[in-house]
Amino acid sequence: KADITWVTEKESFTLLENNPYLAESIAIEDKRGIGEIGKKAFEMVINFDDEAEACKLASSVKASERIGGTFQDGKPNYTPDSAPWFDLGLLSQFGKKKADELKKKNDRTYQDIVSGIVGVERGKPVLNLTKAELGFAEEFRKHNGIARDGLAIGLNTAAGSRWKGKMLSAEKTIALAKALKDNVDCQLLLFGGPQEEGRNKKIALELGDTIIDAGTNHPLREFAALVSICDVLITSDSLALHLGVALGKKIIAFFGPTSAAEIDLYGKGIKLTSPKPCGCFYDDNCTIKPWCTESIPIEDFINAVKKLVEHG
């Protein structure tokens, strides 16, 4: 029953639109809006971001209580009660090497950790699409002949540029798409962001009529609307994964150098990891080839799809 003011970066701001739980949302780049926050007095400030600007804001506004990242002695720090999360990250009091070790050993989801710190019940992410956005998705469905009573499977196998080891190669994506068509009665959609434009064109050209290229340059909420078409989403640990979870999709998520334990699929998904240990956990410069995601058998993806479909 709190009045919640949520601050985020401009590029993510649109994700807060149409959220019934927020009294106010502000982009941190909005200097006027941030200035108005400075005039208010909050009962509680919560910050689970380790960026300096977020920590400075969390420390500067008037508040009776602060939880999480703050700015102390000229640098980002965190409150002792938020240690279960920040001890695993870049601000960790133990240093990055130990933090990565703790992160690798962690078996709790992000939602479980932060709800425990704040003292609230674990909830679900919210992304309410508008009628216009749902209409955009419906037009895409009709234009591409995607049957409502069929099985639409989305493939989002890249993951941006930060951790290249999170993705499946274009070659493995092509092999996976062919195997899905051979083993499951489905329609396939190919997803990606602007960085994947060339990669996805190569995949789509190779697969031809086997797959529908959803494009790579949609605004964020249009991208989410296209994800909503999917009955099953096969995805890396990336934005598409979190959008799929928020939209209540059935998800097959594959993991390489990032934590599978932190991701909560809310009982509607399956996590796939490499049968061999990851040699670059949270290292963005993996030198081990092939990447561990490449060693996940295609058969595991096929079996996961069948299991999700069979269980409704």
Side-chain angles (χ1 to χ4, degrees), residues 121-140:
E121 291 184 9
R122 167 182 161 277
K124 292 183 178 181
V126 174
L127 181 61
N128 292 328
L129 297 175
T130 65
K131 288 183 179 180
E133 290 157 355
L134 291 171
F136 167 78
E138 185 60 25
E139 285 300 312
F140 182 91

Side-chain angles (χ1 to χ4, degrees), residues 6-10 13 26-34 51-58:
W6 194 289
V7 179
T8 190
E9 291 183 333
K10 186 177 180 180
F13 186 74
I26 299 172
I28 199 166
E29 295 90 345
D30 178 3
K31 301 305 179 185
R32 183 171 180 272
I34 295 300
E51 296 289 337
E53 191 172 12
C55 292
K56 287 179 180 178
L57 179 61

Side-chain angles (χ1 to χ4, degrees), residues 62-239:
K62 301 182 185 73
S64 302
E65 182 181 358
R66 302 178 207 276
I67 298 175
T70 58
F71 209 73
Q72 302 171 28
D73 301 323
K75 61 182 180 180
N77 207 320
Y78 53 96
T79 58
D81 53 3
S82 64
W85 174 245
F86 285 96
D87 281 354
L88 310 180
L90 293 175
L91 297 186
S92 175
Q93 60 183 314
F94 305 112
K96 185 180 185 304
K97 184 177 180 180
K98 179 64 175 179
D100 287 347
E101 292 175 4
L102 292 173
K103 204 170 185 70
K104 194 168 187 177
K105 293 177 181 177
N106 172 57
D107 60 0
R108 300 172 65 194
T109 66
Y110 171 81
Q111 288 87 339
D112 181 43
I113 294 171
V114 299
S115 61
I117 291 170
V118 178
V120 295
E121 291 184 9
R122 167 182 161 277
K124 292 183 178 181
V126 174
L127 181 61
N128 292 328
L129 297 175
T130 65
K131 288 183 179 180
E133 290 157 355
L134 291 171
F136 167 78
E138 185 60 25
E139 285 300 312
F140 182 91
R141 180 196 291 275
K142 290 178 180 178
H143 179 75
N144 289 280
I146 302 170
R148 276 195 165 277
D149 57 353
L151 176 65
I153 300 178
L155 297 181
N156 185 84
T157 59
S161 60
R162 183 175 180 186
W163 286 300
K164 294 181 179 179
K166 291 202 292 187
M167 69 174 67
L168 292 185
S169 66
E171 293 72 22
K172 181 143 187 171
T173 301
I174 291 167
L176 172 59
K178 291 179 177 179
L180 284 166
K181 292 296 284 187
D182 288 342
N183 290 273
V184 183
D185 184 11
C186 64
Q187 289 180 289
L188 298 177
L189 287 79
L190 180 63
F191 292 101
Q195 294 174 326
E196 283 81 55
E197 183 176 5
R199 175 184 187 272
N200 280 16
K201 282 183 178 179
K202 173 184 175 181
I203 293 170
L205 182 64
E206 176 68 25
L207 291 172
D209 293 339
T210 301
I211 201 163
I212 299 165
D213 187 355
T216 57
N217 286 288
H218 298 286
L220 188 53
R221 291 186 68 94
E222 280 190 4
F223 178 66
L226 294 178
V227 170
S228 75
I229 295 172
C230 300
D231 299 296
V232 176
L233 178 65
I234 298 176
T235 180
S236 60
D237 180 10
S238 59
L239 172 65

Side-chain angles (χ1 to χ4, degrees), residues 12-49:
S12 303
F13 186 74
T14 185
L15 291 173
L16 302 179
E17 293 173 6
N18 209 27
N19 189 314
Y21 297 104
L22 301 183
E24 182 181 24
S25 53
I26 299 172
I28 199 166
E29 295 90 345
D30 178 3
K31 301 305 179 185
R32 183 171 180 272
I34 295 300
E36 290 300 313
I37 286 180
K39 299 176 183 178
K40 299 179 180 180
F42 294 91
E43 291 183 45
M44 180 182 290
V45 169
I46 303 167
N47 174 35
F48 286 112
D49 197 313

Side-chain angles (χ1 to χ4, degrees), residues 265-298:
L265 300 181
Y266 293 89
K268 300 190 71 172
I270 294 172
K271 301 176 187 179
L272 299 179
T273 56
S274 171
K276 66 177 185 179
C278 178
C280 60
F281 195 71
Y282 278 92
D283 188 339
D284 57 6
N285 186 28
C286 182
T287 58
I288 300 174
K289 299 295 184 291
W291 291 322
C292 51
T293 51
E294 294 290 286
S295 65
I296 302 174
I298 285 179

